[in-house]
Structure formats: C-alpha cells, structure tokens
Amino acid sequence: MNVIALEWWQLSLAALMVVALATCTTLARLEIGRPLLIAAARTAVQLTLIGLVLEALFASARFQWVAMMAVAMLLIAGREVMTRQRRRLRGGWAFGISTLAMFLSSFSVTVLTLTVIVGPEPWYAPQYAIPLLGMLLGNTMTGVSLAMDRLTTNVWQQRSVIENRLMLGQPWQEAIGDVRREAMRSGMIPTINAMAAAGVVSLPGMMTGQILAGSAPALAVKYQILVMFIITAGTGFGTLAAVAATSRRLFDERERLRLDRLSTPKG
C-alpha cells in the first residue's frame, strides 16, 4: 500500500477549518480566536522546521547529531515543565529537578528499549531513537509538571498542617507524606487513563499513523503496546523522582519547612 501524498493546498483546506473556528469564537466573544490562530501558525512552522531537521538527521545518522537533538529536546521539555508550575522552586531548582528527572527516566527507558527490545542497527538509528524519545519526553513532561505543580501548591495550602506535624515530632517524610502521594497520583493518572482507554475509546496516534502509512494492523498494535508500556514506565519513574527531589528541597537539614524556597505566582 502506497502512502497518499499530501500537497500544501490540501493542508490549506484543513487550515481553513481552524480559521473558521477562530472566527466563530471571536463572534462568540470567547477571546481565544487570536491565541488559536497563533497556536495553529506555530504548529505549522514548528513541524515544518522539525521535518527539515529530521530529514537531514536521518540522512546523516551520526551519533553526535542524534545526541545533540536529544539534549535539545530534553532542555526544551525541562523549560516547559518549569513554566507550567504556578509555584516553583527558586534559583533554577524547578528546571534542574524536572530536567534531571526526565533525563534519568526517559533517556534510560529509551536506551533500554532501543538496545534490548527493538534492536535497530545502529542502536541510535534516528528514525527509531528520536520518535521514541519524543513520545517519552512529551508524556513524562506532562506527568512531571502535573506532579510538581500539585506538590508545591498543596504544600503551600496545607503549610499549617505540615508545620503542626513537624512540631509534634513527625519526620518531614511523614509530615508531607499524604501530599507527596497525591502529587504522584496526579502525575500518573493521565497515563493510566490513556492505557485504559486505548483501543476501546481511542486509537493511539502511533498506531493510527502506522496504519495510514500502510503497516499491517497487527504490527502497528505491537508497536503501540510497546510505546504505551515504555511511556508508562518513563512517566512513572520520572514523576517519582521529581516529587522526591522537590519534597526534599522544601525542607532544610533541620527538617524545617522552607516555603521561602517557593516563588510567588504572578498575577
């Protein structure tokens, strides 16, 4: 089966639907028409540029270029996690913890998948490494940002309860235990829901793309199961690491709650 090539004029027809939606939202005074058009324009430009980059990357297939691309993706994901937090750790700690958590989880899971499970030659083949890492980072980014935001927000809201527990002699791990568990659950629930609905409520993106590209449905299903499992593992380990490191940062060596290490939300 040959893939049906899409021309730019065909994509323009799809863009007209977004323009029509933006017009409707403007007439309804929802005040999201302009952000919608800007987001659509960014999508088109960013994906076009990344397509050119990937074509060059696939043509060279050199380890150093793949590694540079992976590091750039990681740093951008770390920044996105930081900006999504209403109350974040000061002094670059929010960026550092989220980036390190995603590095330890997403990179390790991706390398393990490429070397042990999929086994392309070479193992860092960009047509396998970049898409797998991208899916892992995208989902891990969502889980880590949700968990860290929930943790810092709940610590601020429940500061009196936590400080009372500390005064009663509880160690900081127990004083903040229920808040940490809630934050970890918040980070992992979207991934769990996605797995529960896969194939019943929705057809996941990778499987749909492979079927449209002409792959046999059975093969597409196998790859999708693999992707869902590694995404779950990466998101789970990344969330656990981020919450653990952030929690520790919120207390000093004398086990005092240090809310001064949290920034004040803007607006």
Side-chain angles (χ1 to χ4, degrees), residues 136 138-151 154 179-194 231-243:
L136 269 169
N139 287 272
T140 304
M141 178 182 69
T142 300
V144 169
S145 62
L146 286 173
M148 293 179 69
D149 183 64
R150 177 63 64 89
L151 176 67
N154 285 357
V179 177
R180 290 207 302 176
R181 288 188 289 272
E182 179 62 26
M184 292 176 184
R185 282 194 292 266
S186 298
M188 296 177 66
I189 280 176
T191 302
I192 295 173
N193 289 342
I231 283 175
T232 302
T235 302
F237 290 127
T239 299
L240 294 176
V243 170

PDB file of all heavy atoms in Angstrom, residues 136 138-151 154 179-194 231-243:
ATOM      1  N   LEU A 136       8.286   9.730  24.721  1.00  0.00           N
ATOM      2  CA  LEU A 136       8.573   9.579  26.150  1.00  0.00           C
ATOM      3  C   LEU A 136       8.700  10.929  26.845  1.00  0.00           C
ATOM      4  O   LEU A 136       8.109  11.153  27.905  1.00  0.00           O
ATOM      5  CB  LEU A 136       9.857   8.773  26.336  1.00  0.00           C
ATOM      6  CG  LEU A 136       9.688   7.257  26.468  1.00  0.00           C
ATOM      7  CD1 LEU A 136      11.034   6.576  26.373  1.00  0.00           C
ATOM      8  CD2 LEU A 136       9.021   6.904  27.775  1.00  0.00           C
ATOM      9  N   GLY A 138       7.516  13.843  25.877  1.00  0.00           N
ATOM     10  CA  GLY A 138       6.244  14.562  25.873  1.00  0.00           C
ATOM     11  C   GLY A 138       5.317  14.109  26.984  1.00  0.00           C
ATOM     12  O   GLY A 138       4.720  14.931  27.689  1.00  0.00           O
ATOM     13  N   ASN A 139       5.219  12.809  27.172  1.00  0.00           N
ATOM     14  CA  ASN A 139       4.331  12.291  28.214  1.00  0.00           C
ATOM     15  C   ASN A 139       4.943  12.447  29.604  1.00  0.00           C
ATOM     16  O   ASN A 139       4.237  12.755  30.568  1.00  0.00           O
ATOM     17  CB  ASN A 139       4.008  10.823  27.935  1.00  0.00           C
ATOM     18  CG  ASN A 139       3.053  10.657  26.777  1.00  0.00           C
ATOM     19  OD1 ASN A 139       1.839  10.667  26.933  1.00  0.00           O
ATOM     20  ND2 ASN A 139       3.599  10.500  25.586  1.00  0.00           N
ATOM     21  N   THR A 140       6.246  12.223  29.726  1.00  0.00           N
ATOM     22  CA  THR A 140       6.904  12.417  31.014  1.00  0.00           C
ATOM     23  C   THR A 140       6.833  13.876  31.442  1.00  0.00           C
ATOM     24  O   THR A 140       6.640  14.185  32.621  1.00  0.00           O
ATOM     25  CB  THR A 140       8.369  11.968  30.940  1.00  0.00           C
ATOM     26  OG1 THR A 140       8.425  10.605  30.501  1.00  0.00           O
ATOM     27  CG2 THR A 140       9.045  12.068  32.294  1.00  0.00           C
ATOM     28  N   MET A 141       6.966  14.787  30.486  1.00  0.00           N
ATOM     29  CA  MET A 141       6.863  16.213  30.768  1.00  0.00           C
ATOM     30  C   MET A 141       5.509  16.550  31.385  1.00  0.00           C
ATOM     31  O   MET A 141       5.425  17.291  32.379  1.00  0.00           O
ATOM     32  CB  MET A 141       7.063  17.002  29.475  1.00  0.00           C
ATOM     33  CG  MET A 141       6.923  18.508  29.609  1.00  0.00           C
ATOM     34  SD  MET A 141       7.113  19.323  27.991  1.00  0.00           S
ATOM     35  CE  MET A 141       5.605  18.766  27.180  1.00  0.00           C
ATOM     36  N   THR A 142       4.452  15.988  30.827  1.00  0.00           N
ATOM     37  CA  THR A 142       3.119  16.240  31.369  1.00  0.00           C
ATOM     38  C   THR A 142       2.985  15.691  32.782  1.00  0.00           C
ATOM     39  O   THR A 142       2.487  16.372  33.688  1.00  0.00           O
ATOM     40  CB  THR A 142       2.050  15.606  30.459  1.00  0.00           C
ATOM     41  OG1 THR A 142       2.144  16.171  29.153  1.00  0.00           O
ATOM     42  CG2 THR A 142       0.655  15.848  31.007  1.00  0.00           C
ATOM     43  N   GLY A 143       3.442  14.455  32.997  1.00  0.00           N
ATOM     44  CA  GLY A 143       3.330  13.858  34.321  1.00  0.00           C
ATOM     45  C   GLY A 143       4.147  14.589  35.369  1.00  0.00           C
ATOM     46  O   GLY A 143       3.672  14.857  36.480  1.00  0.00           O
ATOM     47  N   VAL A 144       5.385  14.952  35.015  1.00  0.00           N
ATOM     48  CA  VAL A 144       6.258  15.646  35.967  1.00  0.00           C
ATOM     49  C   VAL A 144       5.714  17.027  36.301  1.00  0.00           C
ATOM     50  O   VAL A 144       5.708  17.451  37.462  1.00  0.00           O
ATOM     51  CB  VAL A 144       7.688  15.737  35.405  1.00  0.00           C
ATOM     52  CG1 VAL A 144       8.544  16.687  36.243  1.00  0.00           C
ATOM     53  CG2 VAL A 144       8.329  14.360  35.368  1.00  0.00           C
ATOM     54  N   SER A 145       5.235  17.755  35.296  1.00  0.00           N
ATOM     55  CA  SER A 145       4.716  19.101  35.552  1.00  0.00           C
ATOM     56  C   SER A 145       3.474  19.057  36.417  1.00  0.00           C
ATOM     57  O   SER A 145       3.316  19.873  37.344  1.00  0.00           O
ATOM     58  CB  SER A 145       4.419  19.812  34.230  1.00  0.00           C
ATOM     59  OG  SER A 145       3.428  19.134  33.488  1.00  0.00           O
ATOM     60  N   LEU A 146       2.574  18.113  36.159  1.00  0.00           N
ATOM     61  CA  LEU A 146       1.375  17.985  36.983  1.00  0.00           C
ATOM     62  C   LEU A 146       1.736  17.636  38.426  1.00  0.00           C
ATOM     63  O   LEU A 146       1.175  18.205  39.373  1.00  0.00           O
ATOM     64  CB  LEU A 146       0.452  16.910  36.405  1.00  0.00           C
ATOM     65  CG  LEU A 146      -0.322  17.269  35.134  1.00  0.00           C
ATOM     66  CD1 LEU A 146      -1.054  16.032  34.605  1.00  0.00           C
ATOM     67  CD2 LEU A 146      -1.314  18.384  35.407  1.00  0.00           C
ATOM     68  N   ALA A 147       2.674  16.710  38.585  1.00  0.00           N
ATOM     69  CA  ALA A 147       3.043  16.266  39.930  1.00  0.00           C
ATOM     70  C   ALA A 147       3.724  17.375  40.714  1.00  0.00           C
ATOM     71  O   ALA A 147       3.401  17.621  41.891  1.00  0.00           O
ATOM     72  CB  ALA A 147       3.949  15.041  39.843  1.00  0.00           C
ATOM     73  N   MET A 148       4.683  18.077  40.082  1.00  0.00           N
ATOM     74  CA  MET A 148       5.398  19.133  40.791  1.00  0.00           C
ATOM     75  C   MET A 148       4.488  20.308  41.115  1.00  0.00           C
ATOM     76  O   MET A 148       4.579  20.914  42.196  1.00  0.00           O
ATOM     77  CB  MET A 148       6.601  19.594  39.964  1.00  0.00           C
ATOM     78  CG  MET A 148       7.689  18.537  39.824  1.00  0.00           C
ATOM     79  SD  MET A 148       9.101  19.063  38.817  1.00  0.00           S
ATOM     80  CE  MET A 148       9.846  20.302  39.888  1.00  0.00           C
ATOM     81  N   ASP A 149       3.595  20.640  40.199  1.00  0.00           N
ATOM     82  CA  ASP A 149       2.659  21.733  40.463  1.00  0.00           C
ATOM     83  C   ASP A 149       1.703  21.374  41.594  1.00  0.00           C
ATOM     84  O   ASP A 149       1.437  22.200  42.479  1.00  0.00           O
ATOM     85  CB  ASP A 149       1.874  22.068  39.195  1.00  0.00           C
ATOM     86  CG  ASP A 149       0.933  23.241  39.393  1.00  0.00           C
ATOM     87  OD1 ASP A 149       1.410  24.361  39.650  1.00  0.00           O
ATOM     88  OD2 ASP A 149      -0.291  23.046  39.310  1.00  0.00           O
ATOM     89  N   ARG A 150       1.189  20.152  41.585  1.00  0.00           N
ATOM     90  CA  ARG A 150       0.289  19.725  42.656  1.00  0.00           C
ATOM     91  C   ARG A 150       1.010  19.686  43.996  1.00  0.00           C
ATOM     92  O   ARG A 150       0.453  20.089  45.032  1.00  0.00           O
ATOM     93  CB  ARG A 150      -0.296  18.346  42.325  1.00  0.00           C
ATOM     94  CG  ARG A 150      -1.203  17.751  43.402  1.00  0.00           C
ATOM     95  CD  ARG A 150      -2.440  18.612  43.628  1.00  0.00           C
ATOM     96  NE  ARG A 150      -3.267  18.659  42.444  1.00  0.00           N
ATOM     97  CZ  ARG A 150      -4.234  17.776  42.180  1.00  0.00           C
ATOM     98  NH1 ARG A 150      -4.475  16.789  43.034  1.00  0.00           N
ATOM     99  NH2 ARG A 150      -4.957  17.908  41.084  1.00  0.00           N
ATOM    100  N   LEU A 151       2.258  19.246  43.992  1.00  0.00           N
ATOM    101  CA  LEU A 151       3.024  19.159  45.230  1.00  0.00           C
ATOM    102  C   LEU A 151       3.244  20.540  45.837  1.00  0.00           C
ATOM    103  O   LEU A 151       2.932  20.766  47.016  1.00  0.00           O
ATOM    104  CB  LEU A 151       4.373  18.490  44.964  1.00  0.00           C
ATOM    105  CG  LEU A 151       5.327  18.415  46.153  1.00  0.00           C
ATOM    106  CD1 LEU A 151       4.782  17.479  47.216  1.00  0.00           C
ATOM    107  CD2 LEU A 151       6.712  17.961  45.706  1.00  0.00           C
ATOM    108  N   ASN A 154      -0.121  22.241  46.968  1.00  0.00           N
ATOM    109  CA  ASN A 154      -0.712  21.649  48.171  1.00  0.00           C
ATOM    110  C   ASN A 154       0.137  21.909  49.416  1.00  0.00           C
ATOM    111  O   ASN A 154      -0.401  22.083  50.512  1.00  0.00           O
ATOM    112  CB  ASN A 154      -0.909  20.144  47.972  1.00  0.00           C
ATOM    113  CG  ASN A 154      -2.088  19.840  47.072  1.00  0.00           C
ATOM    114  OD1 ASN A 154      -2.796  20.740  46.626  1.00  0.00           O
ATOM    115  ND2 ASN A 154      -2.294  18.568  46.774  1.00  0.00           N
ATOM    116  N   VAL A 179       0.648  14.536  50.977  1.00  0.00           N
ATOM    117  CA  VAL A 179       0.779  15.494  49.884  1.00  0.00           C
ATOM    118  C   VAL A 179       1.628  14.895  48.757  1.00  0.00           C
ATOM    119  O   VAL A 179       1.314  15.040  47.577  1.00  0.00           O
ATOM    120  CB  VAL A 179       1.409  16.803  50.390  1.00  0.00           C
ATOM    121  CG1 VAL A 179       1.605  17.785  49.242  1.00  0.00           C
ATOM    122  CG2 VAL A 179       0.539  17.428  51.471  1.00  0.00           C
ATOM    123  N   ARG A 180       2.692  14.201  49.116  1.00  0.00           N
ATOM    124  CA  ARG A 180       3.546  13.570  48.102  1.00  0.00           C
ATOM    125  C   ARG A 180       2.780  12.485  47.356  1.00  0.00           C
ATOM    126  O   ARG A 180       2.889  12.377  46.130  1.00  0.00           O
ATOM    127  CB  ARG A 180       4.797  12.968  48.754  1.00  0.00           C
ATOM    128  CG  ARG A 180       5.777  13.998  49.270  1.00  0.00           C
ATOM    129  CD  ARG A 180       7.190  13.466  49.288  1.00  0.00           C
ATOM    130  NE  ARG A 180       7.354  12.266  50.104  1.00  0.00           N
ATOM    131  CZ  ARG A 180       8.484  11.592  50.193  1.00  0.00           C
ATOM    132  NH1 ARG A 180       9.539  11.956  49.493  1.00  0.00           N
ATOM    133  NH2 ARG A 180       8.575  10.539  50.978  1.00  0.00           N
ATOM    134  N   ARG A 181       2.029  11.682  48.066  1.00  0.00           N
ATOM    135  CA  ARG A 181       1.274  10.608  47.398  1.00  0.00           C
ATOM    136  C   ARG A 181       0.239  11.176  46.439  1.00  0.00           C
ATOM    137  O   ARG A 181       0.051  10.654  45.335  1.00  0.00           O
ATOM    138  CB  ARG A 181       0.615   9.715  48.454  1.00  0.00           C
ATOM    139  CG  ARG A 181       1.601   8.828  49.204  1.00  0.00           C
ATOM    140  CD  ARG A 181       0.878   7.826  50.083  1.00  0.00           C
ATOM    141  NE  ARG A 181       0.254   8.474  51.229  1.00  0.00           N
ATOM    142  CZ  ARG A 181       0.872   8.683  52.390  1.00  0.00           C
ATOM    143  NH1 ARG A 181       2.113   8.292  52.565  1.00  0.00           N
ATOM    144  NH2 ARG A 181       0.229   9.261  53.398  1.00  0.00           N
ATOM    145  N   GLU A 182      -0.432  12.243  46.857  1.00  0.00           N
ATOM    146  CA  GLU A 182      -1.421  12.865  45.978  1.00  0.00           C
ATOM    147  C   GLU A 182      -0.757  13.446  44.731  1.00  0.00           C
ATOM    148  O   GLU A 182      -1.297  13.347  43.620  1.00  0.00           O
ATOM    149  CB  GLU A 182      -2.160  13.969  46.741  1.00  0.00           C
ATOM    150  CG  GLU A 182      -3.204  14.712  45.921  1.00  0.00           C
ATOM    151  CD  GLU A 182      -4.336  13.812  45.430  1.00  0.00           C
ATOM    152  OE1 GLU A 182      -4.603  12.788  46.095  1.00  0.00           O
ATOM    153  OE2 GLU A 182      -4.914  14.126  44.378  1.00  0.00           O
ATOM    154  N   ALA A 183       0.422  14.044  44.904  1.00  0.00           N
ATOM    155  CA  ALA A 183       1.144  14.600  43.754  1.00  0.00           C
ATOM    156  C   ALA A 183       1.571  13.501  42.787  1.00  0.00           C
ATOM    157  O   ALA A 183       1.460  13.657  41.558  1.00  0.00           O
ATOM    158  CB  ALA A 183       2.357  15.386  44.245  1.00  0.00           C
ATOM    159  N   MET A 184       2.063  12.389  43.305  1.00  0.00           N
ATOM    160  CA  MET A 184       2.467  11.283  42.446  1.00  0.00           C
ATOM    161  C   MET A 184       1.276  10.708  41.684  1.00  0.00           C
ATOM    162  O   MET A 184       1.376  10.407  40.487  1.00  0.00           O
ATOM    163  CB  MET A 184       3.130  10.191  43.280  1.00  0.00           C
ATOM    164  CG  MET A 184       4.479  10.593  43.869  1.00  0.00           C
ATOM    165  SD  MET A 184       5.171   9.313  44.952  1.00  0.00           S
ATOM    166  CE  MET A 184       6.649  10.143  45.556  1.00  0.00           C
ATOM    167  N   ARG A 185       0.143  10.575  42.359  1.00  0.00           N
ATOM    168  CA  ARG A 185      -1.054  10.077  41.672  1.00  0.00           C
ATOM    169  C   ARG A 185      -1.480  11.034  40.564  1.00  0.00           C
ATOM    170  O   ARG A 185      -1.868  10.596  39.472  1.00  0.00           O
ATOM    171  CB  ARG A 185      -2.190   9.881  42.676  1.00  0.00           C
ATOM    172  CG  ARG A 185      -2.070   8.603  43.501  1.00  0.00           C
ATOM    173  CD  ARG A 185      -3.376   8.298  44.211  1.00  0.00           C
ATOM    174  NE  ARG A 185      -3.655   9.291  45.248  1.00  0.00           N
ATOM    175  CZ  ARG A 185      -3.314   9.141  46.521  1.00  0.00           C
ATOM    176  NH1 ARG A 185      -2.690   8.057  46.908  1.00  0.00           N
ATOM    177  NH2 ARG A 185      -3.607  10.081  47.398  1.00  0.00           N
ATOM    178  N   SER A 186      -1.413  12.334  40.830  1.00  0.00           N
ATOM    179  CA  SER A 186      -1.814  13.322  39.818  1.00  0.00           C
ATOM    180  C   SER A 186      -0.954  13.215  38.573  1.00  0.00           C
ATOM    181  O   SER A 186      -1.441  13.375  37.451  1.00  0.00           O
ATOM    182  CB  SER A 186      -1.711  14.735  40.397  1.00  0.00           C
ATOM    183  OG  SER A 186      -2.584  14.898  41.489  1.00  0.00           O
ATOM    184  N   GLY A 187       0.343  12.955  38.755  1.00  0.00           N
ATOM    185  CA  GLY A 187       1.228  12.847  37.612  1.00  0.00           C
ATOM    186  C   GLY A 187       1.029  11.588  36.791  1.00  0.00           C
ATOM    187  O   GLY A 187       1.282  11.581  35.579  1.00  0.00           O
ATOM    188  N   MET A 188       0.547  10.519  37.413  1.00  0.00           N
ATOM    189  CA  MET A 188       0.442   9.239  36.721  1.00  0.00           C
ATOM    190  C   MET A 188      -0.960   8.926  36.205  1.00  0.00           C
ATOM    191  O   MET A 188      -1.112   8.074  35.321  1.00  0.00           O
ATOM    192  CB  MET A 188       0.907   8.123  37.661  1.00  0.00           C
ATOM    193  CG  MET A 188       2.374   8.234  38.044  1.00  0.00           C
ATOM    194  SD  MET A 188       2.928   6.965  39.221  1.00  0.00           S
ATOM    195  CE  MET A 188       2.740   5.493  38.203  1.00  0.00           C
ATOM    196  N   ILE A 189      -1.968   9.606  36.735  1.00  0.00           N
ATOM    197  CA  ILE A 189      -3.348   9.297  36.343  1.00  0.00           C
ATOM    198  C   ILE A 189      -3.594   9.489  34.847  1.00  0.00           C
ATOM    199  O   ILE A 189      -4.249   8.640  34.213  1.00  0.00           O
ATOM    200  CB  ILE A 189      -4.336  10.119  37.189  1.00  0.00           C
ATOM    201  CG1 ILE A 189      -4.512   9.462  38.568  1.00  0.00           C
ATOM    202  CG2 ILE A 189      -5.699  10.226  36.511  1.00  0.00           C
ATOM    203  CD1 ILE A 189      -5.380  10.236  39.523  1.00  0.00           C
ATOM    204  N   PRO A 190      -3.114  10.589  34.194  1.00  0.00           N
ATOM    205  CA  PRO A 190      -3.363  10.718  32.750  1.00  0.00           C
ATOM    206  C   PRO A 190      -2.834   9.543  31.937  1.00  0.00           C
ATOM    207  O   PRO A 190      -3.495   9.085  30.997  1.00  0.00           O
ATOM    208  CB  PRO A 190      -2.641  12.029  32.388  1.00  0.00           C
ATOM    209  CG  PRO A 190      -2.631  12.811  33.647  1.00  0.00           C
ATOM    210  CD  PRO A 190      -2.454  11.795  34.738  1.00  0.00           C
ATOM    211  N   THR A 191      -1.661   9.041  32.291  1.00  0.00           N
ATOM    212  CA  THR A 191      -1.089   7.911  31.562  1.00  0.00           C
ATOM    213  C   THR A 191      -1.898   6.639  31.804  1.00  0.00           C
ATOM    214  O   THR A 191      -2.136   5.852  30.878  1.00  0.00           O
ATOM    215  CB  THR A 191       0.373   7.687  31.985  1.00  0.00           C
ATOM    216  OG1 THR A 191       1.109   8.879  31.735  1.00  0.00           O
ATOM    217  CG2 THR A 191       0.995   6.545  31.215  1.00  0.00           C
ATOM    218  N   ILE A 192      -2.316   6.438  33.049  1.00  0.00           N
ATOM    219  CA  ILE A 192      -3.135   5.263  33.368  1.00  0.00           C
ATOM    220  C   ILE A 192      -4.460   5.314  32.609  1.00  0.00           C
ATOM    221  O   ILE A 192      -4.916   4.311  32.049  1.00  0.00           O
ATOM    222  CB  ILE A 192      -3.373   5.177  34.887  1.00  0.00           C
ATOM    223  CG1 ILE A 192      -2.048   4.934  35.611  1.00  0.00           C
ATOM    224  CG2 ILE A 192      -4.369   4.070  35.212  1.00  0.00           C
ATOM    225  CD1 ILE A 192      -2.153   4.995  37.116  1.00  0.00           C
ATOM    226  N   ASN A 193      -5.083   6.501  32.548  1.00  0.00           N
ATOM    227  CA  ASN A 193      -6.336   6.657  31.818  1.00  0.00           C
ATOM    228  C   ASN A 193      -6.140   6.401  30.328  1.00  0.00           C
ATOM    229  O   ASN A 193      -7.004   5.792  29.672  1.00  0.00           O
ATOM    230  CB  ASN A 193      -6.901   8.061  32.033  1.00  0.00           C
ATOM    231  CG  ASN A 193      -7.418   8.264  33.448  1.00  0.00           C
ATOM    232  OD1 ASN A 193      -7.672   7.312  34.173  1.00  0.00           O
ATOM    233  ND2 ASN A 193      -7.581   9.512  33.842  1.00  0.00           N
ATOM    234  N   ALA A 194      -5.004   6.868  29.784  1.00  0.00           N
ATOM    235  CA  ALA A 194      -4.732   6.647  28.365  1.00  0.00           C
ATOM    236  C   ALA A 194      -4.596   5.165  28.055  1.00  0.00           C
ATOM    237  O   ALA A 194      -5.084   4.676  27.028  1.00  0.00           O
ATOM    238  CB  ALA A 194      -3.467   7.398  27.955  1.00  0.00           C
ATOM    239  N   ILE A 231       6.084   4.408  27.804  1.00  0.00           N
ATOM    240  CA  ILE A 231       5.636   5.729  28.240  1.00  0.00           C
ATOM    241  C   ILE A 231       5.196   5.677  29.700  1.00  0.00           C
ATOM    242  O   ILE A 231       5.509   6.571  30.496  1.00  0.00           O
ATOM    243  CB  ILE A 231       4.491   6.240  27.341  1.00  0.00           C
ATOM    244  CG1 ILE A 231       5.051   6.741  26.012  1.00  0.00           C
ATOM    245  CG2 ILE A 231       3.701   7.348  28.035  1.00  0.00           C
ATOM    246  CD1 ILE A 231       3.981   7.163  25.017  1.00  0.00           C
ATOM    247  N   THR A 232       4.478   4.636  30.055  1.00  0.00           N
ATOM    248  CA  THR A 232       4.029   4.487  31.439  1.00  0.00           C
ATOM    249  C   THR A 232       5.211   4.363  32.387  1.00  0.00           C
ATOM    250  O   THR A 232       5.247   4.994  33.447  1.00  0.00           O
ATOM    251  CB  THR A 232       3.117   3.258  31.572  1.00  0.00           C
ATOM    252  OG1 THR A 232       1.997   3.405  30.687  1.00  0.00           O
ATOM    253  CG2 THR A 232       2.601   3.110  32.992  1.00  0.00           C
ATOM    254  N   ALA A 233       6.187   3.547  31.995  1.00  0.00           N
ATOM    255  CA  ALA A 233       7.368   3.375  32.841  1.00  0.00           C
ATOM    256  C   ALA A 233       8.144   4.683  32.977  1.00  0.00           C
ATOM    257  O   ALA A 233       8.536   5.089  34.083  1.00  0.00           O
ATOM    258  CB  ALA A 233       8.267   2.289  32.271  1.00  0.00           C
ATOM    259  N   GLY A 234       8.378   5.363  31.857  1.00  0.00           N
ATOM    260  CA  GLY A 234       9.120   6.619  31.899  1.00  0.00           C
ATOM    261  C   GLY A 234       8.402   7.684  32.705  1.00  0.00           C
ATOM    262  O   GLY A 234       9.019   8.387  33.517  1.00  0.00           O
ATOM    263  N   THR A 235       7.093   7.817  32.492  1.00  0.00           N
ATOM    264  CA  THR A 235       6.320   8.815  33.236  1.00  0.00           C
ATOM    265  C   THR A 235       6.293   8.494  34.719  1.00  0.00           C
ATOM    266  O   THR A 235       6.452   9.386  35.565  1.00  0.00           O
ATOM    267  CB  THR A 235       4.879   8.880  32.694  1.00  0.00           C
ATOM    268  OG1 THR A 235       4.915   9.192  31.296  1.00  0.00           O
ATOM    269  CG2 THR A 235       4.074   9.947  33.422  1.00  0.00           C
ATOM    270  N   GLY A 236       6.111   7.232  35.045  1.00  0.00           N
ATOM    271  CA  GLY A 236       6.054   6.846  36.454  1.00  0.00           C
ATOM    272  C   GLY A 236       7.352   7.098  37.183  1.00  0.00           C
ATOM    273  O   GLY A 236       7.370   7.732  38.249  1.00  0.00           O
ATOM    274  N   PHE A 237       8.460   6.644  36.617  1.00  0.00           N
ATOM    275  CA  PHE A 237       9.759   6.844  37.270  1.00  0.00           C
ATOM    276  C   PHE A 237      10.143   8.323  37.308  1.00  0.00           C
ATOM    277  O   PHE A 237      10.715   8.795  38.299  1.00  0.00           O
ATOM    278  CB  PHE A 237      10.838   6.027  36.567  1.00  0.00           C
ATOM    279  CG  PHE A 237      10.715   4.548  36.775  1.00  0.00           C
ATOM    280  CD1 PHE A 237      10.692   3.664  35.702  1.00  0.00           C
ATOM    281  CD2 PHE A 237      10.606   4.022  38.058  1.00  0.00           C
ATOM    282  CE1 PHE A 237      10.569   2.297  35.898  1.00  0.00           C
ATOM    283  CE2 PHE A 237      10.489   2.651  38.264  1.00  0.00           C
ATOM    284  CZ  PHE A 237      10.469   1.788  37.190  1.00  0.00           C
ATOM    285  N   GLY A 238       9.839   9.055  36.245  1.00  0.00           N
ATOM    286  CA  GLY A 238      10.133  10.481  36.237  1.00  0.00           C
ATOM    287  C   GLY A 238       9.338  11.238  37.288  1.00  0.00           C
ATOM    288  O   GLY A 238       9.867  12.127  37.968  1.00  0.00           O
ATOM    289  N   THR A 239       8.058  10.887  37.430  1.00  0.00           N
ATOM    290  CA  THR A 239       7.212  11.527  38.436  1.00  0.00           C
ATOM    291  C   THR A 239       7.701  11.226  39.840  1.00  0.00           C
ATOM    292  O   THR A 239       7.789  12.128  40.693  1.00  0.00           O
ATOM    293  CB  THR A 239       5.758  11.053  38.271  1.00  0.00           C
ATOM    294  OG1 THR A 239       5.277  11.427  36.967  1.00  0.00           O
ATOM    295  CG2 THR A 239       4.859  11.670  39.327  1.00  0.00           C
ATOM    296  N   LEU A 240       8.036   9.973  40.107  1.00  0.00           N
ATOM    297  CA  LEU A 240       8.525   9.599  41.434  1.00  0.00           C
ATOM    298  C   LEU A 240       9.812  10.349  41.776  1.00  0.00           C
ATOM    299  O   LEU A 240       9.975  10.858  42.896  1.00  0.00           O
ATOM    300  CB  LEU A 240       8.762   8.087  41.488  1.00  0.00           C
ATOM    301  CG  LEU A 240       7.528   7.195  41.375  1.00  0.00           C
ATOM    302  CD1 LEU A 240       7.926   5.732  41.352  1.00  0.00           C
ATOM    303  CD2 LEU A 240       6.547   7.454  42.506  1.00  0.00           C
ATOM    304  N   ALA A 241      10.728  10.442  40.805  1.00  0.00           N
ATOM    305  CA  ALA A 241      11.997  11.124  41.053  1.00  0.00           C
ATOM    306  C   ALA A 241      11.790  12.621  41.277  1.00  0.00           C
ATOM    307  O   ALA A 241      12.395  13.214  42.180  1.00  0.00           O
ATOM    308  CB  ALA A 241      12.949  10.891  39.882  1.00  0.00           C
ATOM    309  N   ALA A 242      10.939  13.240  40.464  1.00  0.00           N
ATOM    310  CA  ALA A 242      10.707  14.676  40.590  1.00  0.00           C
ATOM    311  C   ALA A 242      10.052  15.028  41.913  1.00  0.00           C
ATOM    312  O   ALA A 242      10.436  16.003  42.576  1.00  0.00           O
ATOM    313  CB  ALA A 242       9.851  15.170  39.423  1.00  0.00           C
ATOM    314  N   VAL A 243       9.058  14.260  42.319  1.00  0.00           N
ATOM    315  CA  VAL A 243       8.371  14.528  43.587  1.00  0.00           C
ATOM    316  C   VAL A 243       9.307  14.316  44.766  1.00  0.00           C
ATOM    317  O   VAL A 243       9.328  15.109  45.721  1.00  0.00           O
ATOM    318  CB  VAL A 243       7.116  13.645  43.713  1.00  0.00           C
ATOM    319  CG1 VAL A 243       6.525  13.727  45.125  1.00  0.00           C
ATOM    320  CG2 VAL A 243       6.069  14.078  42.696  1.00  0.00           C
TER     321      VAL A 243
END
